[in-house]
Amino acid sequence: MADSKQVIPGNSEWNTGFTEELLPSSQQVCLLYHISYLCLAKFPKLERLLRMRAVETQLLFGSSEAVLLKCVGTSKNLISSLFPMLTHAIEKNKPTLAIKYLEKARVWITEIIQDVEKIVQRYEVHNKDVATTTSDVITEKTETEKVLVQLSKEIEVLTDEIQKLEVQLKETNEKLAQKEKEIEAKNLELQSVVKDAAAKNKVFGIFASIVPFIGQIVSSIYKAVTAPGVAEKVKAFEIQLNQLTSDKVSLKQEVWDLEVETIDLRMKLAKLQIDQGVIPEPTQLGEVQTYLSKIQKILIQLQKFWEHVFILLGIIKNKTFVGEDLVEEPELKEQFLLSIQDASQSWKSFGGSCCKAAQIFRVKSKDAYSFLEIDPSSLSEDVWQKEYDSVKKQLEQLQVTADSPKEIMSNSG
């Protein structure tokens, strides 16, 4: 296959474990909304604003579920329709028919790209609205604080403790950012080795053009007859990436533990401020924006992935069936058919992952926001405390999951 480097994906490579990032982010958004709702119990105007934003998030999660279900449907179509049709066209030496099927699949994918792009834009607008609400709370808070001459000693102590934790949190986040840069650099080095292997080996190049998932691509290097030392290089990257990812997961867990501890102190401070008639800091709303941005980032990756698949199908069409008549080369024809079989399994796994993500959004767009049905100002002090303790326990139980680099490599042994 000519110029096989074209078929190797870049940073748009995908792995089937991407839902691991969606789950904690969607849970964190919900729980932080709940805490903010409790904090604004005695401030009806701000409570209404918060309820409005939370309902908008519910609707957005519902739309996200619909898009992910469409991804599931397209994955199934590729498995049940495109791949069998391609197999038939190759076996019968009908390249024109294969081109027709590939173009049909590209139409499906174009629709998904457009749908995901619209959702990403909605997240952008929604996050700005949440930021505006945060600003409104800060403005209202400033007004209420004017009536107080001096904060109590207890509030001063809590504020000092929070500031110390925030310093720790900043330092740990900086370490995490550095670790992410190291992982990105190592991934780029790995991609360079894979691209070079594809350029020198037609059989491997064909596989990489059909299966756009890095885990399977790396795994195939161990099985394929590649240039001397390629498998050893890839294995070395695997070991390094797994260690870097393990370090990253530890740092992420440390960050989350510090965030939970900070949230708890802030809630204690908020309770004291509420008792004095002062609006608490809208810190949790700022965190809501952070996690909404994480979800938006994952959806942007999803959009880039489908854009990459669209390009891949075009390359397969132009390079394989139009320019080179692969169907007339027995060895490459056989490899193409085997690659289609492998691709079916990979796409089945990807479809299952999208289905899990859709379920996450379904739950978070319905049951998780039932707290909005309750008027927080009507809660007694004991009930308010029980409600908060419940949310705090859920926050503490959230665990950081392994990121994609480790997931990518887990199938390559």
Side-chain angles (χ1 to χ4, degrees):
M1 181 175 285
D3 195 12
S4 296
K5 285 186 179 182
Q6 292 187 54
V7 301
I8 299 297
N11 291 333
S12 58
E13 290 154 335
W14 202 250
N15 71 87
T16 56
F18 76 102
T19 56
E20 292 176 348
E21 282 294 315
L22 277 175
L23 181 57
S25 293
S26 58
Q27 287 177 322
Q28 286 155 337
V29 166
C30 170
L31 294 172
L32 290 166
Y33 265 133
H34 197 160
I35 286 178
S36 300
Y37 197 59
L38 290 173
C39 286
L40 298 177
K42 294 184 179 180
F43 308 96
K45 175 184 173 183
L46 298 177
E47 179 196 317
R48 285 194 298 272
L49 274 176
L50 181 65
R51 185 187 289 111
M52 183 169 64
R53 295 294 169 245
V55 169
E56 288 171 358
T57 299
Q58 281 182 283
L59 294 174
L60 193 52
F61 280 8
S63 298
S64 301
E65 176 199 349
V67 169
L68 284 160
L69 287 175
K70 194 165 185 177
C71 291
V72 175
T74 300
S75 298
K76 288 180 179 178
N77 283 339
L78 291 174
I79 296 167
S80 63
S81 180
L82 175 64
F83 295 152
M85 289 174 178
L86 276 180
T87 299
H88 173 75
I90 294 168
E91 289 175 341
K92 299 299 181 182
N93 292 336
K94 295 181 178 179
T96 304
L97 195 59
I99 291 170
K100 179 182 175 181
Y101 297 150
L102 286 166
E103 278 304 320
K104 186 175 181 180
R106 278 157 64 89
V107 171
W108 303 336
I109 291 166
T110 299
E111 291 176 1
I112 287 185
I113 292 169
Q114 292 170 348
D115 289 345
V116 177
E117 185 176 14
K118 289 175 185 176
I119 287 293
V120 168
Q121 290 171 351
R122 284 179 59 187
Y123 271 93
E124 185 73 25
V125 172
H126 181 54
N127 224 344
K128 289 178 180 177
D129 290 341
V130 175
T132 299
T133 299
T134 305
S135 179
D136 291 340
V137 173
I138 291 172
T139 300
E140 193 80 12
K141 171 180 169 57
T142 303
E143 292 299 316
T144 59
E145 282 181 340
K146 289 179 181 177
V147 302
L148 295 175
V149 178
Q150 185 177 352
L151 293 175
S152 68
K153 182 68 178 175
E154 195 173 357
I155 288 178
E156 288 179 7
V157 170
L158 276 173
T159 302
D160 185 56
E161 288 181 22
I162 290 169
Q163 287 173 348
K164 289 177 181 177
L165 273 177
E166 285 176 340
V167 170
Q168 283 183 262
L169 193 54
K170 182 183 177 184
E171 291 174 351
T172 310
N173 269 317
E174 287 172 354
K175 292 178 184 176
L176 179 58
Q178 179 58 38
K179 194 63 64 176
E180 288 173 338
K181 288 179 182 178
E182 291 175 27
I183 290 172
E184 177 65 18
K186 196 59 64 178
N187 267 320
L188 289 174
E189 290 182 59
L190 172 61
Q191 287 167 20
S192 177
V193 172
V194 173
K195 286 179 182 179
D196 187 58
K200 295 175 180 177
N201 186 300
K202 279 189 175 182
V203 172
F204 176 60
I206 290 171
F207 179 86
S209 71
I210 296 292
V211 183
F213 302 97
I214 187 62
Q216 286 72 21
I217 291 174
V218 169
S219 181
S220 71
I221 286 181
Y222 292 112
K223 301 172 186 176
V225 180
T226 54
V230 173
E232 289 76 8
K233 285 182 182 178
V234 171
K235 189 66 179 178
F237 282 121
E238 175 183 358
I239 294 169
Q240 293 168 28
L241 274 167
N242 279 339
Q243 182 57 55
L244 286 170
T245 304
S246 177
D247 294 342
K248 178 182 174 181
V249 170
S250 296
L251 285 169
K252 285 178 72 175
Q253 188 62 56
E254 188 178 342
V255 166
W256 180 239
D257 291 342
L258 285 169
E259 285 180 350
V260 171
E261 191 176 350
T262 305
I263 288 170
D264 187 42
L265 286 178
R266 285 193 175 280
M267 281 303 290
K268 291 176 181 176
L269 176 60
K271 192 70 173 66
L272 290 172
Q273 291 173 321
I274 290 169
D275 290 343
Q276 293 190 25
V278 175
I279 298 171
E281 291 282 352
T283 312
Q284 286 79 25
L285 282 179
E287 291 298 311
V288 165
Q289 293 172 61
T290 298
Y291 292 112
L292 285 174
S293 293
K294 285 186 178 181
I295 293 172
Q296 182 187 17
K297 184 179 178 182
I298 293 170
L299 292 173
I300 289 172
Q301 286 180 287
L302 181 62
Q303 179 186 343
K304 288 180 178 178
F305 165 75
W306 283 112
E307 288 171 351
H308 171 68
V309 173
F310 180 86
I311 292 169
L312 266 187
L313 293 181
I315 291 172
I316 294 169
K317 181 192 76 171
N318 296 329
K319 292 289 184 184
T320 305
F321 296 105
V322 179
E324 298 176 23
D325 291 329
L326 174 144
V327 292
E328 296 179 1
E329 299 183 46
E331 182 187 352
L332 298 185
K333 177 179 175 179
E334 181 183 356
Q335 181 57 39
F336 198 91
L337 292 172
L338 289 172
S339 295
I340 288 176
Q341 292 176 17
D342 289 338
S344 295
Q345 291 302 313
S346 297
W347 279 102
K348 184 178 179 181
S349 181
F350 176 73
S353 196
C354 287
C355 191
K356 289 179 183 177
Q359 290 171 353
I360 288 167
F361 279 119
R362 185 181 303 128
V363 170
K364 296 307 167 189
S365 65
K366 294 179 183 178
D367 304 338
Y369 287 83
S370 58
F371 65 86
L372 294 173
E373 299 169 7
I374 301 170
D375 179 2
S377 61
S378 66
L379 300 177
S380 67
E381 190 165 334
D382 287 343
V383 173
W384 188 98
Q385 188 62 48
K386 285 180 181 178
E387 193 82 5
Y388 167 67
D389 289 341
S390 173
V391 178
K392 180 188 172 186
K393 184 177 180 180
Q394 292 176 69
L395 285 168
E396 289 172 342
Q397 288 174 343
L398 282 179
Q399 294 293 314
V400 172
T401 53
D403 275 0
S404 56
K406 189 169 184 179
E407 171 71 20
I408 284 170
M409 290 297 151
S410 64
N411 298 323
S412 60

